[in-house]
Amino acid sequence: MILKRLLPAVGALLTVMCAGAVTLRYYPYELKLCHTFNLATMSRTSTPGVQVELTVDSVTGYGEASMPPYLGESVESVTAFLSKIDPERLSDPFALEDIHRYLDSLAPGNHAAKAAVDIALHDLTGKMMGRPWYQIYGLNPAKAPCTSFTISNDTPEELERKIAEAEPYKIIKVKMGVPGDRELIETIRRHTDKPLCVDVNQGWKTPQEALDNILWLADRGVVFVEQPLSKYDMDGHAWLKERSPLPIIADEAVQTSADVPELARCYDGINIKLMKCGGLHDAYKMAVLARALGMKVMIGCMTETSCAVSAAAQLAPMAEWVDLDGNLLIANDLFDGMKIVNGRVTLSSQPGIGVRPRREEVAH
Ligand code: MG
């Protein structure tokens, strides 16, 4: 049975699909960014998202899809994918391997849509077991690292304000590969000596240009460089990895666990994001695989509410670095979950993915 109605609190159309003891609900939810987000290729002020709620035997799990435009998914594609799901096929929420195979059989790709279902399943099963997922994975929450906080380039006055805003965070992430990026590093260095990590978003054109920049950055307290060259330039990254004094981390070049083995030659580590790999089920496999291949693990996120960020944070104790500031960058979070305390990822002891809805209207 499929029902649709308007959600007054968020002004979005809620779709409800029921079969037996299973109810799958979803609605679009636009994430409003606190500041304009400037990347090498574009800038934007909001991110489209879809919120998912899955109820089985009266227990509800929350999930979320976040769709930054460069990944190719949209509210339309995510809701179209979700509408194909037969809720009956989710009636045993512990059968994650079978459910993922079923989701993959509905359509290839659609990783954010699949992540939304996967996150809700993890929240649900964790609640049924009465345990948070970091505990089910056997991880020590005290080993979760500090998160970086992203500062994008801006006018000198705005930059000063952003640097002050980053005060509680121990590591600052800077987007490079845009005009004026060295000046940005110099400006930040005039205000703070905190470690920096640099994300180039494929913005440098040749391996030599990347190496020149990395040697310059190595003298300025930078701890690693993310995706310096085009994701297609495997040989360029392999050349760079041999010469770079800083670890080179793959982001755009890695989506799922299937990508990891061939990247070990070209990168020192991978940035795992739930919206790229389809959720926690594959993200955990990626982290284990990277470790086995001697690679470093970074856990990242898109701009997301505390729902998807708290799900990703369950894996934080497996990572050298985490970039889990997505919920801090939005002005309309729907959930309370993972917190950053003294710059460190601090996991909630709540079962599942450790979130609670902020609005009554989220919990129907
Ligand atoms: Mg990145």
Side-chain angles (χ1 to χ4, degrees), residues 199 201 226 251 273:
D199 188 358
N201 293 114
E226 205 178 312
D251 183 4
K273 295 176 180 170

Side-chain angles (χ1 to χ4, degrees), residues 31-42:
L31 307 172
K32 312 243 181 278
L33 306 186
C34 299
H35 304 293
T36 304
F37 198 56
N38 298 313
L39 286 181
T41 45
M42 44 83 76

Side-chain angles (χ1 to χ4, degrees), residues 7-333:
L7 265 180
V10 295
L13 195 64
L14 173 77
T15 303
V16 184
M17 298 157 70
C18 304
V22 184
T23 306
L24 178 65
R25 307 177 189 86
Y26 54 88
Y27 57 94
Y29 186 69
E30 185 172 76
L31 307 172
K32 312 243 181 278
L33 306 186
C34 299
H35 304 293
T36 304
F37 198 56
N38 298 313
L39 286 181
T41 45
M42 44 83 76
S43 66
R44 62 173 200 272
T45 56
S46 68
T47 301
V50 173
Q51 296 292 319
V52 167
E53 297 166 25
L54 177 64
T55 304
V56 179
D57 295 334
S58 308
V59 181
T60 295
Y62 296 100
E64 171 178 25
S66 167
M67 295 86 73
Y70 65 90
L71 285 181
E73 292 183 71
S74 63
V75 168
E76 293 70 30
S77 69
V78 169
T79 52
F81 180 86
L82 295 174
S83 73
K84 290 182 198 161
I85 295 174
D86 172 4
E88 186 63 37
R89 300 293 295 263
L90 310 178
S91 59
D92 177 3
F94 288 92
L96 290 165
E97 194 74 21
D98 284 354
I99 291 173
H100 272 284
R101 211 167 294 133
Y102 165 65
L103 295 177
D104 287 340
S105 76
L106 295 176
N110 290 277
H111 295 290
K114 290 170 185 172
V117 178
D118 170 280
I119 293 168
L121 284 163
H122 278 81
D123 195 29
L124 181 63
T125 48
K127 283 172 175 165
M128 285 175 163
M129 289 185 274
R131 299 283 180 184
W133 266 91
Y134 66 79
Q135 225 173 51
I136 299 165
Y137 288 132
L139 303 175
N140 178 356
K143 292 200 171 148
C146 290
T147 185
S148 52
F149 184 82
T150 300
I151 294 185
S152 60
N153 212 346
D154 217 315
T155 59
E157 304 76 48
E158 274 296 292
L159 261 183
E160 205 163 315
R161 203 180 51 71
K162 286 181 181 177
I163 293 165
E165 189 187 357
E167 219 288 312
Y169 307 98
K170 311 276 189 231
I171 306 172
I172 292 175
K173 180 168 176 173
V174 180
K175 298 285 189 180
M176 287 187 76
V178 286
D181 53 8
R182 284 197 181 197
E183 290 79 354
L184 172 61
I185 302 278
E186 303 275 27
T187 306
I188 292 172
R189 274 287 162 261
R190 277 197 291 278
H191 289 86
T192 173
D193 59 0
K194 284 178 188 173
L196 301 179
C197 48
V198 162
D199 188 358
V200 189
N201 293 114
Q202 314 181 76
W204 292 333
K205 299 298 169 231
T206 66
Q208 188 61 55
E209 180 194 0
L211 183 61
D212 292 345
N213 281 318
I214 289 169
L215 292 173
W216 183 84
L217 291 169
D219 292 333
R220 285 163 178 81
V222 171
V223 288
F224 66 84
V225 175
E226 205 178 312
Q227 202 64 59
L229 299 165
S230 161
K231 63 181 177 180
Y232 301 110
D233 192 355
M234 301 284 278
D235 290 342
H237 281 103
W239 182 91
L240 199 54
K241 183 191 167 199
E242 270 181 31
R243 291 160 181 81
S244 171
L246 301 177
I248 308 292
I249 309 298
D251 183 4
E252 285 86 343
V254 63
Q255 276 225 310
T256 69
S257 53
D259 301 325
V260 178
E262 65 168 343
L263 295 178
R265 176 177 74 89
C266 319
Y267 296 89
D268 298 290
I270 55 168
N271 186 350
I272 300 169
K273 295 176 180 170
L274 302 189
M275 296 304 143
K276 292 193 298 185
C277 69
L280 274 170
H281 193 59
D282 197 57
Y284 179 72
K285 292 179 185 174
M286 291 176 82
V288 171
L289 192 48
R291 279 268 171 272
L293 291 163
M295 299 175 87
K296 295 188 183 303
V297 171
M298 176 179 176
I299 309 286
C301 62
M302 308 297 175
T303 39
E304 296 162 357
T305 72
S306 288
C307 177
V309 171
S310 299
Q314 302 299 312
L315 294 174
M318 294 182 86
E320 269 84 13
W321 304 295
V322 297
D323 181 23
L324 292 174
D325 62 353
N327 56 334
L328 306 171
L329 303 174
I330 64 165
N332 57 343
D333 200 348

